[in-house]
Amino acid sequence: MSVCIYQGGYNTVRKSGVGKALEHQAAALKSAGVPLVGEIPPAGPQAKGCVVHLNTVLPDAPLAAARAHARGCKVVYYGHSTMEDFRNSFFGSNLLAPLFKRWLIFCYRQGDVVITPSVYSRRILMGYKIGRPIYTLSNGIDTGFFKPDPDRAARFRAKYGLAEGQKCVISVGHWMVRKGLPDFVELARRMPQVRFIWFGHTDKALLTEEIRRAMESAPGNLLFAGFVDADALCDAYCGADAFAFLSHEETEGIVVLEALACGIPTLVRDIPVYDNWLEDGKSVYKADSLDGFASKLRDMLDGHLPSLQEGGLAVAEARSLHQIGQALCRIYASGGFLDAALAEPGACRAPQQKKARSRA
């Protein structure tokens, strides 16, 4: 058995969570001993033992699914997007949301199975009546890369001129209402003694008027640092005093996993996507209003709330890429994708594989 992680549109989504998820799949499958191929193989025995992963809903993706099926491949379509998390994103997104939902349904129906990263997003997709098996599997986190590191912390604080004892709060995401940027700006205004830094970028042509106003009115203690690479972002997670992710809607939130893996105290909006895996007061702190965010954040920074680092690290470790690789093998087995390839050396070598063999 081999897997092709379709790369069409990767450059378009490279700086987003979808791009990161695509990279995670490759690493997870390598950890499970699953051979990867660069392209959808031509028709023949090799194609019949190949699974094709699709991650985007760009126009080329359904065409790739059709090509894969024509060659005898199985298709796994990742449900990273919903109409709900498309809203309040870019200029015109609310108007286009119903059409986007119809397009999502069409795309996801091209998969033999659909994988989505949370129980919450699976519930949404079940309501779309896609007519395909839908599995829940985290996008995962590279715990070998994202981890507490005092040297990274020192580098971050030196780069941004943070004096000893000066508090710093960070967030990560595109410049959009859905990501909670206006609330982050207001938190900075309410806490002038704290340094706030937002990492991420959006083309200015796509910004809504609300975001333009929020950014133009931002106080001097808030820096929009733009897009940074993974090394710089890991430095920030290790060196900042808190991570405030105030998103209104997510299908999972890869940046939350990155933050937890680095041990940074984390504050999130209390929204349904976190209900069954992030517990308030055990792995993260939650709030549901601007006043609540400000109160929790002050208490976190002042040391009035206990450290949740151990709980956060446990959440990240349970979603390590090694764990995701094993879970993917089980999904392949459940979907019947492994039947023709179980005897191949190296195909999903894992303790769980024995169970899959006995069912085949």
Side-chain angles (χ1 to χ4, degrees):
M1 171 186 171
S2 61
V3 174
C4 169
I5 300 177
Y6 179 65
Q7 298 289 316
Y10 173 70
N11 287 336
T12 302
V13 301
R14 181 175 61 86
K15 296 180 179 181
S16 71
V18 174
K20 184 61 66 177
L22 192 148
E23 296 166 9
H24 285 180
Q25 289 160 37
L29 289 168
K30 286 178 182 177
S31 78
V34 178
L36 299 179
V37 295
E39 297 181 358
I40 301 172
Q46 182 182 5
K48 293 184 182 300
C50 185
V51 177
V52 177
H53 283 204
L54 298 178
N55 282 273
T56 79
V57 292
L58 297 173
D60 62 309
L63 296 175
R67 189 162 70 250
H69 281 136
R71 295 175 179 183
C73 302
K74 296 289 189 178
V75 173
V76 172
Y77 217 123
Y78 273 80
H80 296 297
S81 299
T82 66
M83 177 185 71
E84 288 74 7
D85 78 351
F86 182 73
R87 290 193 182 114
N88 297 313
S89 296
F90 307 111
F91 179 77
S93 63
N94 288 2
L95 183 65
L96 294 172
L99 291 175
F100 185 65
K101 177 181 177 180
R102 293 172 62 182
W103 175 249
L104 289 177
I105 293 170
F106 170 76
C107 288
Y108 294 157
R109 283 177 175 168
Q110 310 313 305
D112 293 286
V113 301
V114 175
I115 296 178
T116 194
S118 66
V119 171
Y120 171 72
S121 58
R122 182 179 185 272
R123 188 162 63 243
I124 291 175
L125 294 185
M126 290 292 287
Y128 289 5
K129 302 187 186 306
I130 293 168
R132 299 290 184 272
I134 303 176
Y135 294 88
T136 298
L137 180 63
S138 169
N139 287 312
I141 177 66
D142 184 353
T143 53
F145 179 81
F146 289 101
K147 58 186 178 181
D149 187 326
D151 292 334
R152 284 187 176 277
R155 184 163 60 209
F156 166 75
R157 298 187 72 85
K159 178 177 180 178
Y160 289 94
L162 297 169
E164 186 175 353
Q166 184 177 7
K167 301 298 184 181
C168 177
V169 178
I170 65 169
S171 196
V172 180
H174 291 295
W175 299 338
M176 58 179 64
V177 172
R178 178 173 68 82
K179 293 293 185 181
L181 186 147
D183 283 343
F184 194 77
V185 172
E186 185 57 31
L187 281 178
R189 197 182 331 277
R190 292 188 181 193
M191 305 173 69
Q193 76 283 7
V194 177
R195 186 76 178 278
F196 285 76
I197 304 176
W198 183 287
F199 294 98
H201 175 78
T202 296
D203 189 317
K204 291 184 177 180
L206 299 175
L207 298 183
T208 64
E209 186 58 32
E210 183 176 355
I211 290 297
R212 291 180 187 275
R213 289 197 305 268
M215 295 180 71
E216 289 169 1
S217 68
N221 61 321
L222 169 54
L223 171 67
F224 292 101
F227 177 81
V228 297
D229 63 19
D231 270 305
L233 194 55
C234 189
D235 290 354
Y237 291 133
C238 291
D241 297 283
F243 175 64
F245 190 62
L246 311 182
S247 178
H248 294 266
E249 183 73 25
E250 293 291 324
T251 53
E252 182 179 38
I254 286 180
V255 294
V256 175
L257 288 176
E258 292 173 350
L260 294 178
C262 290
I264 184 174
T266 297
L267 173 67
V268 300
R269 190 182 298 274
D270 191 1
I271 54 178
V273 69
Y274 305 131
D275 282 351
N276 68 317
W277 62 285
L278 292 180
E279 190 170 348
D280 186 26
K282 290 200 173 180
S283 54
V284 299
Y285 287 108
K286 296 181 180 181
D288 58 9
S289 67
L290 188 54
D291 287 342
F293 295 141
S295 177
K296 282 280 180 76
L297 191 54
R298 288 192 181 98
D299 285 343
M300 291 166 68
L301 295 176
D302 292 341
H304 296 158
L305 291 173
S307 169
L308 306 180
Q309 185 179 78
E310 184 177 347
L313 291 173
V315 167
E317 188 56 44
R319 291 157 180 78
S320 71
L321 297 185
H322 174 73
Q323 298 293 337
I324 299 307
Q326 306 309 314
L328 273 170
C329 289
R330 294 193 291 272
I331 289 174
Y332 296 155
S334 296
F337 299 177
L338 285 173
D339 290 351
L342 284 175
E344 293 184 16
C348 285
R349 57 170 185 268
Q352 292 86 346
Q353 183 57 37
K354 293 181 181 179
K355 296 180 181 179
R357 188 187 301 272
S358 67
R359 290 195 300 266

